[in-house]
Amino acid sequence: MVNDVLMQICRPEHMHDLCLDMIYFIGGAANGSINKTLLPLILQWIPSGLATAQLYHYGQLMISGGFRQYDHGLQKNLKIYNSTTPPEYNMSNVRVPVAYFYSTHDPFSNTKMARTVFEKIPNVVLKYQVPIERWNHIDYILASNAHETQLIQKHGYPVETHTYETKDGYVLTAFRIPHGTTSIKSKEVALLTHGMGGSGENFVFIGPPDALAFYLADRGYDVWIFNARGTHYSRKHRSLNPNRDRKKYWNFSWHEIGVYDLPATINYIQKETGVDSIFYVGHSQGTTILFVMLSQLPEMNEKIRVGAMLAPSAFHWLTHSPLLVIGSKLWTLGERLLALLNWYELPAPNSSALTGFVKAICKPGALEEVCLDVVNLIGGTDSNQLNKTVFPVVLQYIPQGFSARQAWHYAQIVVSKDFKLYDHGAKKNMKLYNSTIPPTYNMSNCKAPIALFYAPRDPYGNHKMVQEFSKRLPNIVLKYEVKVPDWNHLDFILAANIKEVIHDPLYELFKRYEAQ
């Protein structure tokens, strides 16, 4: 009866928002995750029947301040419990492995409640805080993006979610795999940083045992997975909204990721783990931001035990990528055109919609080969190393949002033929740099041990670029050339034989620098 009435009231489209507000009144603040097209289906089954005593019991918990059995009143309590007050549930008896999923804005399972649970239940194997802004109680069953946070825990690895803020107000989320599937406490810490258009999921796509996050966790590392500002998991700010305040929110390049996001992440990891220095792995832009951080903030060198640079990216005028060469010639026009459209995010404002479109047209049996050709246009010549069974999973998460300025900054490097700070134009450059042209990053400040993993056919990390690194970096401890023919830019994270080609030599490098 009630469901029929609600369906009639909420059937007209103009009533959808009001009806959703009623749902959110129960479940917590709205975050836009519910697909409105599901509303008629939801109202066929919700609300379902429940006993009034169920509600009263929850009410009693709020009044008593404890997790107790039902309060029947003094006389009946004495008869049932041999006490005038109902006894507490003994949570120490809950010895089965428990995975606890919670969020800050869930009125029924928030951060404060989670801490209480962690104190009382002896075998919590997963503490997972949902990193989506304003995620509420209803979103656990109805959100359209709930599946996107499942990649790690579905393989049986322990996962933690950590949120922290940069000096310029961006709120970032990092994932932590504190150890492998065993419960051995890890001694060493490794930070994995992704390339432009990707996110931390790049290091878990191919699953255990070969995806780098799992590979290192299984070998005794406490693995932290970075998500740069603008990606799905780090799309928050102290005061700015990425959709409403586009011009201000997306006013950054990879320079800001290097001088704000990366130091904030490393400092947070140090605080959480107590380590003095970490092992670092960067892919593509993940290498760029390390060079930026170490050159601009030399004191951070002491916090890097050794940096493994997969496809080291800095000297892009030496590229053989037609995409980057053409893009560098058009970047000023592109910047002006997108500014006119109030479009500062790439690949699109709300890239999740584009991801859904790409996923639909690239599914197996459709245009999969064409989509692979597009991927290879970005990553370089097809090496036939990509495990095609992983491709559908990859398309659920790539492309991730990034600032147009990140692309423009790389384009500027091609044009200027130097690794320089962002060129804002003569007037603003003078104000920021006291020069009409931006200064070159001082890579002689990068004193941490650096290992370069590169491939001749990689358009963003080839032989010529490595020769340039040799001239500028003072502490290169390894130059590792991939001998697999046509190995390309994306093979460093997605190749089927990545364990033997990349991860095994990377692990041998790390063992040389492990604390004795």
Side-chain angles (χ1 to χ4, degrees):
M1 174 72 176
V2 174
N3 299 85
D4 292 337
V5 172
L6 286 174
M7 280 194 69
Q8 290 300 318
I9 294 173
C10 297
R11 189 185 302 277
E13 192 172 334
H14 68 273
M15 293 295 290
H16 281 186
D17 285 335
L18 178 61
C19 293
L20 282 171
D21 285 341
M22 293 166 58
I23 292 173
Y24 283 126
F25 179 72
I26 300 168
N31 74 348
S33 292
I34 288 183
N35 186 340
K36 292 182 184 180
T37 60
L38 293 175
L39 189 60
L41 182 62
I42 295 167
L43 294 175
Q44 285 185 45
W45 307 102
I46 295 177
S48 190
L50 68 154
T52 53
Q54 291 174 252
L55 294 176
Y56 300 153
H57 200 169
Y58 279 122
Q60 290 175 5
L61 299 184
M62 294 176 66
I63 294 170
S64 69
F67 187 42
R68 296 180 175 180
Q69 295 183 48
Y70 196 86
D71 190 343
H72 298 274
L74 295 177
Q75 278 192 338
K76 196 169 183 181
N77 285 348
L78 196 57
K79 184 178 179 181
I80 296 174
Y81 308 128
N82 200 29
S83 169
T84 54
T85 58
E88 291 271 343
Y89 289 106
N90 186 355
M91 303 286 277
S92 65
N93 286 337
V94 183
R95 293 193 174 87
V96 297
V98 171
Y100 196 88
F101 292 70
Y102 64 100
S103 71
T104 305
H105 288 87
D106 181 353
F108 305 106
S109 183
N110 56 37
T111 308
K112 190 178 288 186
M113 296 175 185
R115 289 192 191 121
T116 303
V117 170
F118 301 155
E119 288 172 4
K120 294 191 175 184
I121 295 180
N123 194 14
V124 179
V125 295
L126 171 64
K127 303 172 184 178
Y128 183 81
Q129 180 179 337
V130 177
I132 309 300
E133 187 175 6
R134 296 167 72 86
W135 185 273
N136 65 49
H137 201 65
I138 306 295
D139 288 329
Y140 286 98
I141 54 171
L142 298 178
S144 59
N145 58 348
H147 67 284
E148 294 184 10
T149 59
Q150 308 299 313
L151 278 177
I152 299 173
Q153 61 265 28
K154 77 174 184 178
H155 294 297
Y157 285 74
V159 185
E160 296 174 9
T161 304
H162 293 261
T163 303
Y164 48 96
E165 190 173 308
T166 68
K167 285 184 178 179
D168 59 343
Y170 288 80
V171 180
L172 309 181
T173 296
F175 295 104
R176 180 189 190 187
I177 306 177
H179 52 77
T181 50
T182 66
S183 59
I184 299 170
K185 184 174 173 59
S186 303
K187 291 192 256 183
E188 306 289 358
V189 175
L191 173 63
L192 314 183
T193 62
H194 59 84
M196 189 173 76
S199 68
E201 286 131 344
N202 290 11
F203 298 102
V204 300
F205 278 141
I206 59 177
D210 292 346
L212 186 58
F214 303 123
Y215 177 95
L216 289 176
D218 288 339
R219 284 157 180 78
Y221 283 81
D222 180 354
V223 178
W224 291 72
I225 305 172
F226 173 78
N227 290 288
R229 62 180 67 188
T231 58
H232 180 76
Y233 294 111
S234 296
R235 202 178 167 88
K236 298 183 195 174
H237 189 276
R238 186 191 307 145
S239 59
L240 302 175
N241 182 291
N243 300 318
R244 186 182 62 244
D245 308 308
R246 291 180 186 175
K247 187 174 182 179
K248 290 182 179 179
Y249 178 91
W250 296 99
N251 184 29
F252 61 84
S253 80
W254 35 259
H255 174 84
E256 284 72 22
I257 297 174
V259 296
Y260 294 119
D261 295 15
L262 194 51
T265 302
I266 293 171
N267 290 336
Y268 180 87
I269 291 172
Q270 283 189 307
K271 184 179 176 182
E272 288 292 308
T273 63
V275 299
D276 295 324
S277 60
I278 65 169
F279 289 84
Y280 184 94
V281 181
H283 173 245
S284 190
Q285 182 185 264
T287 71
T288 310
I289 61 175
L290 183 69
F291 297 136
V292 169
M293 182 187 75
L294 298 181
S295 63
Q296 297 296 106
L297 305 169
E299 66 276 12
M300 295 299 293
N301 277 275
E302 297 178 6
K303 301 184 180 186
I304 304 297
R305 188 85 58 83
V306 63
M309 308 288 97
L310 308 182
S313 298
F315 309 124
H316 283 66
W317 67 93
L318 299 170
T319 185
H320 52 255
S321 165
L323 194 66
L324 188 53
V325 171
I326 294 169
S328 67
K329 297 181 185 300
L330 300 174
W331 80 267
T332 52
L333 176 63
E335 185 179 42
R336 290 171 187 169
L337 179 61
L338 292 186
L340 285 173
L341 297 171
N342 192 31
W343 188 348
Y344 301 94
E345 175 188 2
L346 292 176
N350 187 10
S351 57
S352 59
L354 177 63
T355 304
F357 173 73
V358 171
K359 182 179 164 186
I361 66 171
C362 294
K363 62 184 179 182
L367 297 173
E368 186 179 15
E369 292 299 327
V370 176
C371 295
L372 281 169
D373 288 340
V374 173
V375 169
N376 289 326
L377 179 65
I378 300 168
T381 309
D382 185 3
S383 66
N384 295 312
Q385 302 301 322
L386 176 65
N387 185 344
K388 292 183 181 179
T389 60
V390 177
F391 197 51
V393 180
V394 174
L395 292 176
Q396 291 185 43
Y397 301 93
I398 291 178
Q400 286 278 321
F402 58 95
S403 168
R405 281 201 172 185
Q406 290 170 246
W408 307 148
H409 201 167
Y410 279 128
Q412 289 177 3
I413 290 173
V414 178
V415 174
S416 69
K417 291 184 170 52
D418 205 355
F419 186 44
K420 293 187 173 186
L421 278 73
Y422 197 86
D423 189 344
H424 299 272
K427 191 173 180 181
K428 192 170 181 180
N429 286 346
M430 183 62 77
K431 185 177 180 181
L432 292 174
Y433 311 132
N434 200 29
S435 169
T436 56
I437 58 173
T440 298
Y441 288 105
N442 184 0
M443 297 189 75
S444 65
N445 285 339
C446 302
K447 293 185 168 65
I450 298 294
L452 305 175
F453 290 72
Y454 67 100
R457 300 302 294 273
D458 179 0
Y460 310 107
N462 55 40
H463 264 306
K464 290 182 179 179
M465 296 176 184
V466 169
Q467 289 172 2
E468 193 66 28
F469 279 116
S470 299
K471 297 175 187 176
R472 303 197 191 198
L473 288 173
N475 194 10
I476 297 175
V477 296
L478 174 66
K479 297 177 191 176
Y480 178 84
E481 178 183 334
V482 176
K483 301 295 185 181
V484 178
D486 294 330
W487 185 275
N488 68 38
H489 198 62
L490 299 178
D491 288 331
F492 283 97
I493 55 172
L494 297 176
N497 57 346
I498 197 169
K499 175 187 178 295
E500 296 79 13
V501 178
I502 300 295
H503 297 167
D504 285 346
L506 184 150
Y507 177 54
E508 289 301 317
L509 168 75
F510 279 11
K511 284 202 294 187
R512 284 166 41 194
Y513 286 87
E514 284 183 7
Q516 300 300 318

